[in-house]
Amino acid sequence: MSKRAHNFCAGPAALPEAVLLRAQAELLDWHGKGLSVMEMSHRSADYVAVAEKAEQDLRDLLAIPSNYKVLFLQGGASQQFAEIPLNLLPEGGVADYIDTGIWSKKAIEEASRFGNINVAASAKPYDYFAIPGQNEWKLSKDAAYLHYASNETIGGLQFDWVPEVGDVPLVVDMSSDILSRPIDVSQFGLIYAGAQKNIGPSGLVVVIVREDLLGKARSSCPTMLNYKVAADNGSMYNTPATFSWYLSGLVFEWLKEQGGVEAIERVNRAKKELLYKTIDSSELYSNPIAHNARSWMNVPFRLADDRLDKPFLAGADARGLLNLQGHRSVGGMRASIYNAVGMDAVEALVGYMAEFEKEHA
Ligand SMILES: *Cc1c(COP(=O)(O)O)cnc(C)c1O
């Protein structure tokens, strides 16, 4: 066994050890071809097979209907903040956005450069500790789409429901919770996810888009940002991020071997229940998020006395519990417990938390 640490990083995040070992084994000589995946033409039959298998495995995992395209693009999730309005918001049109934290705010700021953005609801009055119910939303009449982030990675705020907006396409940033539990893809017009949380290496972004939303891009939309161009070219209008795509494919295979999204949901549920239970039953740790909006993937918590933050982190590091420091904008701690972070990691963490609390009682 290797000496891998338990990595609670928010992103780029832990990858399954089995995936890294497989990539290592295949690195110098992929399937007896005498070269690595990184050194192959993206147009070669070998690479196209790798790319197509990754897409098919993702389709299987999420039961993606055939009228959706799956795109493997570049620029991370942040590029999508501009790409979405350029493709889906007509000149003079309006789009509705829900503000539940830092990532949705960034999406709002960027989209505002391209047109009329209506912030239909904000979690600000709740200090970003709760998600306003849909009865509080002020949706516009003719929105081109509604955008929200299903999981706010920094604040640790997650929707446990899907907005109901009739025929208005739902556009969702699922960067930090895609593949963590089952979803019904047909409820969405467009799903996007930066890869570095639950999919693979950073830089890659996966876009799942309903076909009828293609071909609506503004004439000023750069070719490289046009979904239809990407779809018509199998995400190979230019050279794609071939190694990231391949590695994501290995993660999809791994997830299938774990029993798929339904099986990982059971593990993820047990992980977050153990961690929140530890926090809620302690005098030292706390998490302020409304119970129905607590993230399964990113669990921020504070220590009652922030002078204990440093010793807490130092002790964690010494035990191989890495990257628990909260985001600089929030402070405190944050444990990101994505699919590749197993129950063993969460058990090690809560064991340490209990030990630390006893020592500092
Ligand atoms: C990480 C993250 C992003 C940004 O991803 P990049 O790939 O760095 O652009 C956007 N939205 C959410 C919800 C995230 O977690």
Side-chain angles (χ1 to χ4, degrees), residues 75-79 81 103 149 151 153 173 175-176 194 196-197:
S78 301
Q79 177 99 296
F81 297 163
W103 291 115
N151 183 56
T153 318
D173 180 354
S175 293
S176 50
Q196 69 273 27
K197 281 83 185 223

Side-chain angles (χ1 to χ4, degrees), residues 15 61 71 76 93-94 111 137 160 175 191 211-212 227 239 277 288 298 304 310 349 359:
L15 286 162
L61 285 163
L71 309 176
V94 59
W137 295 12
D160 71 347
S175 293
I191 297 168
E211 275 166 359
D212 63 282
Y227 292 136
T239 315
K277 195 182 80 189
N298 310 97
K310 266 204 177 134
L349 173 60
E359 265 170 39

Side-chain angles (χ1 to χ4, degrees), residues 104-307:
S104 38
K105 262 191 278 193
K106 283 195 156 182
I108 289 164
E109 272 167 32
E110 188 70 357
S112 301
R113 301 158 65 89
F114 302 101
N116 223 336
I117 300 305
N118 170 46
V119 180
S122 172
K124 193 168 184 207
Y126 304 97
D127 293 326
Y128 294 96
F129 294 161
I131 294 171
Q134 211 179 309
N135 56 330
E136 298 173 44
W137 295 12
K138 297 204 164 48
L139 299 170
S140 35
K141 281 218 162 52
D142 297 306
Y145 59 88
L146 178 123
H147 177 283
Y148 74 109
S150 53
N151 183 56
E152 282 284 355
T153 318
I154 293 171
L157 195 67
Q158 185 175 28
F159 278 79
D160 71 347
W161 48 284
V162 174
E164 277 177 33
V165 285
D167 290 339
V168 176
L170 267 185
V171 174
V172 60
D173 180 354
M174 281 195 191
S175 293
S176 50
D177 63 352
I178 195 166
L179 293 169
S180 64
R181 56 194 193 193
I183 52 169
D184 175 1
V185 172
S186 72
Q187 291 177 295
F188 301 94
L190 186 147
I191 297 168
Y192 67 103
Q196 69 273 27
K197 281 83 185 223
N198 247 346
I199 294 178
S202 60
L204 183 77
V205 56
V206 173
V207 174
I208 302 166
V209 56
R210 213 173 57 213
E211 275 166 359
D212 63 282
L213 297 174
L214 298 173
K216 295 171 184 265
R218 297 175 182 200
S219 55
S220 61
C221 177
T223 310
M224 274 294 293
L225 303 187
N226 188 317
Y227 292 136
K228 182 153 194 318
V229 172
D232 288 348
N233 288 279
S235 304
M236 294 193 189
Y237 175 77
N238 79 326
T239 315
T242 54
F243 193 76
S244 298
W245 192 337
Y246 151 79
L247 207 92
S248 301
L250 297 187
V251 172
F252 301 149
E253 272 184 45
W254 171 83
L255 194 47
K256 279 180 131 180
E257 284 160 22
Q258 307 308 301
V261 175
E262 289 78 12
I264 210 79
E265 177 187 36
R266 287 193 289 276
V267 181
N268 286 334
R269 183 189 298 278
K271 279 155 49 186
K272 65 100 184 174
E273 280 176 356
L274 176 59
L275 187 46
Y276 283 115
K277 195 182 80 189
T278 303
I279 292 167
D280 291 341
S281 60
S282 101
E283 303 282 311
L284 182 62
Y285 311 107
S286 63
N287 167 288
I289 307 295
H291 282 233
N292 68 351
R294 281 176 156 184
S295 171
W296 290 33
M297 294 282 106
N298 310 97
V299 181
F301 59 94
R302 291 190 159 282
L303 276 61
D305 177 352
D306 62 16
R307 285 171 304 184

